[in-house]
Amino acid sequence: MSIPGLLPELEVIRKDFPILERVLAGGHPLVYLDSANTSQKPQVVIDTMVDHLEHHNANVARAMHQLGAESSEAFEAARDRVAAFIKAPSRDEVIFTKNASEALNLVANTLAWRGDLQVGEGDEVVITEMEHHSNIVPWQLLTERTGATLRWFGLTDDGRLDLSDIDELITERTKVVSLTWVSNMLGTINPVREIADRAHAVGAIVVVDASQAVPQLPVDVVASGADVLVFTGHKVVGPTGIGVLWGRREVLEQLPPFLGGGEMIETVRMERSTYAGIPHKFEAGTPPIVEAVGLGAAVDYLDHVGMEAVHAHEQAITGYALEGLQSVPGLTVMGPLDAASRGGAISFELAGVHPHDVAQVLDSRGIAVRAGHHCAKPAHARFGVQSSTRMSSYLYTTPAEIDALVEGLHHTRSYFKLGS
Amino acid sequence: MDLDALYQEIILDHYKHPHHAGLRDPFEAEVHHVNPTCGDEVTLRVHLDDGVVRDVSYDAVGCSISQASTSVMTDLLIGKDVDEAMTIHQAFLELMQGKGQVEPDEDVLEDGIAFAGVAKFPARVKCALLSWMAWKDATTQTIEKEKA
Ligand SMILES: Cc1ncc(COP(=O)(O)O)c(C=O)c1O
């Protein structure tokens, strides 16, 4: 099968991911269509992490011995690689966190505290109805704690942001606009730049949840219009336990520290302390060292394949999947129907079969998808559904796997005795 | 993986044609339980009278397992003494938490034995237990209210 845009070396790429050779119960080869949940890891990431643990393990920054120097160098080199990958103007603007959720909480928490950017009573924070819970709850906490008001963009019937009331939503009162670049449920790619320009015009800062964008799109943080942009390592073929917060230097310098502890200080006296500069100001305690090193190898891997090529592949597979899914009677795709304006996560409903049951039948055939609310309950509520089934592809996904999914869905219907 | 062990005919029947569905009066307690991982929800009412479970009524959204389990539960519990109903509840709980190692007693669980296969699918145990937990909660609340 040849579809324009597919990665030409797809078979070679698949060989890089050892788990794709797994055979599951019943002799079914794994068909992994849950990459928006977490991506699989290439051998080079696994090997880099093992090598670090086997040969270079030591704490960073505070060990004076040779291993300490090697470990620090590997950790800081990972920061360089991530900075280059997202085109950050400065490596110091890249802060390692535990995941995207922690990065978003870091921003939402520090905005509550005294400082130039402090959010208070009368101020407004604007989010959207298609956010992951990680980009909703921290802002609810912030506004509840400070007496600020939380507002949000609604969605159109075809799953895009409803920008018709942008001028009423983003006003002089707006202090923060936080939105997802690519929806993990609807797949929608949002016009981040357009919204950011509007937000900047009223003096608000823009936080972008790029958890689903960085895996799929070439990202240039400055061009995106974001003041702060976050993503999570495990969705970009890296390990769990590591996330990234990028912020414009001026913004990061204006935010007060988040967690206090080792590494984030300049000097400590009993009365008070002074703090390290960025990035260390936001990295209290021993960081996830081997995870950062693994993430460095992961973004190197993606760079090597080329993000333009990864994006083209995702679009090709997504277009093919959208077509295949439409052939299943009673199936409704949620979100935009043209592959060009969406990412590789496709949520759908199958009339007469609950998503759990869909996922269970597919799993019995070795096909891994996600069923539930995908941490986007408000977006589901907007479309009047309680849950959905989601398939999500990545650079290693083949058209044959999409065929297996579509066939599995036909089988699911017949298993639940639904007529055509 | 043996799908038919999970989706017994009885389960699919109850799913398609649930018994005692809908919310009814009278009732002493109403509870709302949610499975936070998947979002399945049930609103459930109990009506106790003279130590007997007179009615269990519900409004639920969820998968075949959770819907069928609710339906089977109402068949089993309505009309029973509260004590007996609690014993049935306990037996179902033990079956579900038995990792597939517990042999169900058909005299106690009747159609409920069809759920024996569910116990082998850890991700689905919570689905099967959602409304049973709701029933226990509502019943306990009712009993405590009566005591007070
Ligand atoms: C859009 C979006 N935001 C945030 C997250 C949270 O990522 P993590 O759980 O790694 O913090 C996810 C992934 O689950 C996501 O898809």
Side-chain angles (χ1 to χ4, degrees):
Chain A
M1 169 87 45
S2 181
I3 304 169
L6 285 191
L7 282 166
E9 301 200 319
L10 187 49
E11 280 316 309
V12 181
I13 285 181
R14 286 183 67 81
K15 291 237 159 31
D16 292 337
F17 292 80
I19 209 167
L20 299 179
E21 298 189 353
R22 260 299 298 270
V23 174
L24 297 168
H28 296 284
L30 170 67
V31 174
Y32 188 75
L33 293 173
D34 198 18
S35 290
N37 201 352
T38 198
S39 63
Q40 295 302 348
K41 322 302 171 200
Q43 192 68 54
V44 63
V45 168
I46 300 165
D47 288 349
T48 302
M49 293 174 77
V50 169
D51 176 68
H52 186 87
L53 291 172
E54 282 182 350
H55 302 114
H56 311 288
N57 181 55
N59 209 333
V60 292
R62 44 181 112 160
M64 285 303 134
H65 40 70
Q66 291 174 51
L67 290 184
E70 288 169 18
S71 193
S72 300
E73 194 178 307
F75 179 70
E76 292 302 334
R79 197 188 308 276
D80 290 331
R81 287 167 179 170
V82 170
F85 187 65
I86 58 174
K87 304 199 167 48
S90 161
R91 66 181 308 278
D92 294 341
E93 296 174 340
V94 171
I95 290 151
F96 286 129
T97 62
K98 180 170 69 175
N99 48 34
S101 303
E102 189 186 63
L104 289 164
N105 278 278
L106 186 159
V107 182
N109 268 271
T110 53
L111 282 169
W113 302 335
R114 201 178 319 142
D116 302 340
L117 298 172
Q118 185 176 18
V119 171
E121 228 159 296
D123 292 337
E124 295 183 352
V125 173
V126 177
I127 59 172
T128 88
E129 209 177 2
M130 68 165 81
E131 298 309 312
H132 186 282
H133 296 167
S134 295
N135 200 29
I136 299 177
V137 185
W139 303 112
Q140 291 174 336
L141 292 171
L142 170 68
T143 50
E144 280 163 17
R145 283 170 185 160
T146 58
T149 303
L150 185 67
R151 307 184 66 189
W152 53 89
F153 284 100
L155 308 181
T156 62
D157 289 340
D158 67 344
R160 295 170 206 266
L161 288 182
D162 178 2
L163 298 178
S164 61
D165 54 355
I166 187 166
D167 291 333
E168 286 101 80
L169 271 174
I170 301 183
T171 68
E172 302 300 322
R173 290 185 299 281
T174 311
K175 277 291 173 72
V176 184
V177 176
S178 185
L179 79 161
T180 191
W181 189 335
V182 177
S183 160
N184 67 315
M185 179 215 167
L186 300 161
T188 321
I189 300 179
N190 290 320
V192 169
R193 183 69 209 222
E194 184 188 330
I195 295 168
D197 287 347
R198 175 70 206 153
H200 288 148
V202 300
I205 65 160
V206 176
V207 178
V208 174
D209 176 359
S211 300
Q212 297 292 345
V214 174
Q216 302 200 3
L217 308 173
V219 167
D220 176 330
V221 285
V222 174
S224 77
D227 295 296
V228 172
L229 179 144
V230 311
F231 68 98
T232 196
H234 66 96
K235 296 190 207 271
V236 286
V237 310
T240 55
I242 183 86
V244 172
L245 182 155
W246 168 83
R248 281 199 302 116
R249 177 181 288 278
E250 304 85 276
V251 172
L252 294 179
E253 284 177 347
Q254 285 176 77
L255 289 173
F258 177 45
L259 303 175
E263 240 59 79
M264 55 77 70
I265 51 96
E266 188 180 60
T267 181
V268 175
R269 283 176 291 113
M270 286 317 290
E271 309 77 52
R272 72 173 301 265
S273 304
T274 53
Y275 311 116
I278 59 167
H280 302 292
K281 169 176 146 189
F282 293 109
E283 292 181 352
T286 300
I289 301 166
V290 69
E291 290 80 0
V293 170
L295 177 61
V299 299
D300 263 1
Y301 179 85
L302 290 177
D303 247 342
H304 182 73
V305 178
M307 286 310 293
E308 293 288 353
V310 169
H311 181 46
H313 182 79
E314 283 284 287
Q315 286 197 320
I317 289 286
T318 303
Y320 185 70
L322 284 169
E323 232 171 78
L325 291 171
Q326 314 281 355
S327 77
V328 181
L331 188 146
T332 318
V333 169
M334 304 164 87
L337 290 176
D338 64 311
S341 59
R342 61 176 299 150
I346 307 178
S347 300
F348 56 85
E349 281 191 288
L350 187 59
V353 194
H354 189 276
H356 270 176
D357 297 316
V358 173
Q360 190 86 58
V361 176
L362 293 175
D363 185 49
S364 74
R365 296 162 78 92
I367 305 167
V369 296
R370 185 159 174 191
H373 50 61
H374 326 312
C375 299
K377 278 192 121 181
H380 278 84
R382 160 63 180 82
F383 291 98
V385 300
Q386 176 227 10
S387 60
S388 62
T389 309
R390 180 182 76 184
M391 66 137 276
S392 52
S393 54
Y394 207 11
L395 74 164
Y396 37 70
T397 305
T398 67
E401 290 182 301
I402 302 300
D403 294 342
L405 169 70
V406 170
E407 208 183 299
L409 289 167
H410 282 289
H411 171 76
T412 304
R413 291 190 78 254
S414 72
Y415 191 86
F416 281 90
K417 304 192 175 59
L418 298 172
S420 43
Chain B
M1 211 181 300
D2 187 7
L3 215 50
D4 295 339
L6 178 65
Y7 293 119
Q8 301 273 327
E9 215 46 57
I10 301 175
I11 292 183
L12 295 181
D13 284 348
H14 276 273
Y15 174 47
K16 295 242 154 121
H17 308 288
H19 302 174
H20 306 108
L23 290 169
R24 287 177 296 274
D25 291 319
F27 64 96
E28 290 74 44
E30 176 180 298
V31 296
H32 182 74
H33 279 215
V34 180
N35 180 344
T37 36
C38 64
D40 282 3
E41 297 184 35
V42 64
T43 304
L44 182 138
R45 293 176 177 177
V46 293
H47 172 39
L48 303 186
D49 182 29
D50 219 11
V52 175
V53 182
R54 294 286 177 208
D55 196 15
V56 180
S57 67
Y58 62 91
D59 179 26
V61 266
C63 63
S64 59
I65 303 297
S66 78
Q67 300 289 86
S69 174
T70 310
S71 172
V72 166
M73 178 185 80
T74 56
D75 278 354
L76 279 170
L77 303 187
I78 294 173
K80 298 281 192 327
D81 289 347
V82 173
D83 289 346
E84 200 182 338
M86 285 290 182
T87 308
I88 297 170
H89 180 279
Q90 189 56 31
F92 191 77
L93 194 65
E94 277 164 18
L95 176 62
M96 285 301 101
Q97 295 174 343
K99 304 196 160 74
Q101 306 301 313
V102 173
E103 197 56 48
D105 182 346
E106 188 166 4
D107 292 339
V108 178
L109 289 177
E110 301 174 26
D111 276 4
I113 63 166
F115 290 84
V118 176
K120 294 191 198 112
F121 294 80
R124 302 307 290 277
V125 168
K126 271 199 241 155
C127 309
L129 285 178
L130 181 66
S131 55
W132 288 80
M133 293 308 187
W135 174 80
K136 177 134 190 220
D137 183 12
T139 303
T140 313
Q141 284 184 22
T142 305
I143 293 169
E144 274 167 13
K145 239 190 271 170
E146 278 171 2
K147 273 197 216 139

